[in-house]
Each structure stands twice: as C-alpha cells, then as structure tokens.
C-alpha cells in the first residue's frame, strides 16, 4: 500500500461521513414506531452511534494505518480472519444492493416512472464504479462537493415549508406522551443500525485520514451533525404530514416536499428532492462498494480495481432480483436485516474484535507507558 495515494483530509472525512449518514436516512420515516417522539429516538440512537464509533476507534487506534481487514488478520490469524473478511465482503455488497434498490424505487416514484429498472440500476452502478475505481481521495472530494448541496437543499425545503405555514409543530406534542418504551423500541435495533451502525464501513477510510490523531473527534462531530440533519428532516415530516401519514408513506420527505408550492407556479419539488437525495445515496453505495472490493483485494492479493466492473455488473443484476417488490424489500429491511445482519456485523463482532486487539496489544501499550 502506498500511503500517499490512500489518504483523505479531515474535512473530506467529516463531510463524507455526514453525507453517508444522511444520504438515505433523511428521506425515510425512521423511528416511526415512536410516533411524534421519533426525533427523540434518533437522538438516542445517535448517542449509541457515538459509542459504536468509539469502539471502532478502540481497535483502530491500537493498530494505526491498518484497515478493518488488516486488523482482523492481526487479531485472529490469517485462516480465521479470511472467513470473517469473506463474510464482511458479502455484507458490504449486500448493503450496496439494498441501498441501490432504495434509490431506484424513489426514482420510479418521482422522476423516471417509465424507465426500465434494469437500465436504472446499470447506470447507477456505472457511476459508483467510476467513483470507486478512482480511490479514497476522489470519493472524499465528491463527498465534499455533494454535502453542501444535500444539506442546503434539505434546509431550504424545511424553511420554505415553515414559512408557508405547512409545518404544524403542535403535531410533535405531547412529548413522551407514551413514555420511554416506544422510543427505545424504535431506536433498537432499527435506527441504531440504520444509519449510525453503518459507519462500520468507515473502518476502511478512517485509518488513512491525513491527521489520524484527530480523526476520532471528527467522527464524533460528524455523527452529531448528521443526527441534527436527520432530526430536522424528521420534524419537518411530522409537522407537515402528521405521524399517521408519515408511518404509512414510503418516502415521507417527498410527501412533505410535494405539498410545497412557490408562487403558485413552481410545484413538484419532490422530483428535485429525489435528484438531490440521489447524490447522498451515490456516496453511500460507493463507500460500501469500496469496502467490499478492498476485502477482495486483501483475500486475493489482486488490485481491487480489477474487480470493479465484474462485481459492479453482478450487483446491478442482484439489485433487481433481491426482492420481488418494494413491500417485500421494506419488510426485509425492517424485520429481518437488522437482527440477522446489522447487529452481528455492526455491533457484536466489532466489540469482540476490539477486546481481542486490546488484549493482544496490552504489552505494547504497557511498554509505551513506561
């Protein structure tokens, strides 16, 4: 590995993480089980997200300049690590498929209703393949470019809806009317694992921050910033369409944006919102795609760029067949994936890995303290 080619600045890391976290989360009605207290559930989940990030840093700080897969190999030995690396490669690619399916369903609803889904998936992966093959620096720069557009447009929609009188803040009352139970139920595992636990993919990026010693602080601030953005989107959704409509809508933010009219002649802002959200989803898929490809590189000792086109084409096909329809896709994402995949891969295994790394590096730390 050539460190000079595998670096990302702290500002790029921050904006990339914020764009990654908010990319698809702002458009869905996450935390809907908590009803009007969904925003509290998001804040609670963000606190757990910070704790998870600190666990990830627990093993990254002990073994600087090593990515997630290299740390696994150090902790468990090559044969055992190879099994877990293979599983994480599959996991990262599977999340690519799911996030891509989310975007295509959104685009079919608003922008390209007559376009064959196969063509949409293919064009989307062509874009992601181009970004991923260019490396960490280019992904970081694109995140740096997309973040202001994504955040700016979201806040513009919210401010215009508030100014137009479409947002009724009384819909957020009563606060904790049903106690803390529904808030915790909504937070775990759904909101904790999506989007905050998905930062496990950044264990492939953070070790190569230009100022690694400051990366932990940047990561924490990125979670706080993204949680603020998601909470803002949640409040706008509830205040505009209400808790019942939010829980039923596939894409509550688009439903809220559809209400907005400017000067009685500018309408269907939801179509533009889809385009802006697409930018964040491109970043999210590219990050997971890069992580999976680097895993293949580690397993095969073949440059990951050689896998970009064949794996990208395979994923574009699998994105079509992963679910028969959107209802099945949503059911899997809410009822199955968090328990079967997210909890083991985002929480359980990283906690075990952190413990193993700390145990195996204890003598090195003790020697450093003397």
């Amino acid at each position: 590995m050539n460190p000079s080619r595998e670096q990302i600045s702290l500002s790029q890391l921050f904006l990339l993480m914020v764009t990654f976290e908010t990319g698809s989360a702002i458009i869905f009605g996450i935390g809907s089980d908590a009803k009007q207290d969904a925003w509290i559930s998001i804040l609670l989940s963000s606190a757990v997200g910070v704790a998870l990030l600190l666990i990830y840093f627990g093993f990254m700080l002990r073994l600087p300049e090593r990515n997630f897969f290299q740390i696994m190999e150090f902790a468990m030995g090559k044969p055992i690590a190879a099994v877990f690396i293979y599983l994480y490669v599959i996991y990262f690619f599977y999340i690519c498929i799911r996030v891509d399916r989310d975007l295509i369903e959104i685009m079919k609803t608003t922008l390209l209703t007559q376009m064959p889904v196969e063509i949409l998936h293919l064009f989307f992966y062509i874009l992601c393949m181009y970004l991923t093959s260019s490396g960490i620096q280019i992904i970081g720069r694109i995140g740096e470019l997309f973040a202001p557009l994504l955040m700016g447009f979201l806040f513009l929609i919210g401010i215009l809806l508030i100014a137009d009188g479409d947002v009724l803040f009384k819909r957020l009352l009563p606060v904790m009317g049903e106690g803390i139970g529904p808030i915790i139920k909504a937070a775990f595992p759904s909101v904790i694992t999506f989007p905050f636990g998905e930062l496990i993919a950044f264990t492939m990026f953070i070790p190569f921050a230009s100022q690694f010693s400051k990366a932990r602080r940047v990561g924490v601030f990125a979670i706080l910033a993204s949680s603020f953005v998601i909470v803002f989107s949640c409040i706008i959704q509830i205040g505009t369409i209400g808790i019942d409509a939010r829980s039923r809508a596939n894409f509550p933010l688009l439903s809220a944006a559809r209400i907005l009219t400017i000067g009685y002649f500018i309408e269907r802002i939801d179509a533009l919102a889809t385009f802006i959200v697409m930018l964040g989803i491109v970043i999210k898929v590219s990050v997971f795609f890069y992580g999976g490809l680097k895993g293949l590189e580690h397993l095969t000792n073949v440059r990951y760029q050689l896998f970009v086109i064949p794996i990208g084409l395979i994923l574009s096909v699998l994105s079509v067949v992963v679910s028969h329809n959107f209802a099945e896709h949503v059911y899997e994402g809410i009822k199955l994936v968090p328990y079967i995949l997210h909890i083991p891969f985002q929480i359980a295994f990283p906690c075990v890995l952190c413990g193993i790394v700390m145990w195996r590096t204890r003598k090195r730390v003790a020697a450093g303290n003397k």
Side-chain angles (χ1 to χ4, degrees), residues 15-78:
L15 293 173
L16 188 64
M17 291 179 73
V18 173
T19 307
F20 175 91
E21 290 282 273
T22 58
S24 54
I26 61 174
I27 205 165
F28 291 106
I30 63 174
S32 293
D33 289 344
K35 298 182 180 179
Q36 73 274 8
D37 294 325
W39 62 276
I40 302 177
S41 179
I42 294 168
L43 290 177
L44 177 62
S45 300
S46 68
V48 179
V50 170
L52 284 176
L53 185 66
L54 295 178
I55 290 172
Y56 304 158
F57 270 100
F59 51 75
M60 287 190 291
L61 289 173
R62 292 293 183 101
L63 299 168
E65 297 187 1
R66 299 194 195 191
N67 65 34
F68 189 39
F69 301 131
Q70 293 167 332
I71 293 172
M72 279 190 213
E73 194 168 283
F74 169 86
M76 298 181 292
K78 197 167 185 177

Side-chain angles (χ1 to χ4, degrees), residues 99-109 112 116-118 120-122 124 281 319:
V99 177
D100 169 47
R101 184 63 178 264
D102 290 338
L103 175 63
I104 300 307
E105 293 291 343
I106 295 169
M107 295 184 69
K108 281 173 55 183
T109 303
L112 304 171
V117 293
E118 295 82 3
L120 292 176
H121 286 292
L122 179 60
F124 177 76
I281 294 180
S319 297

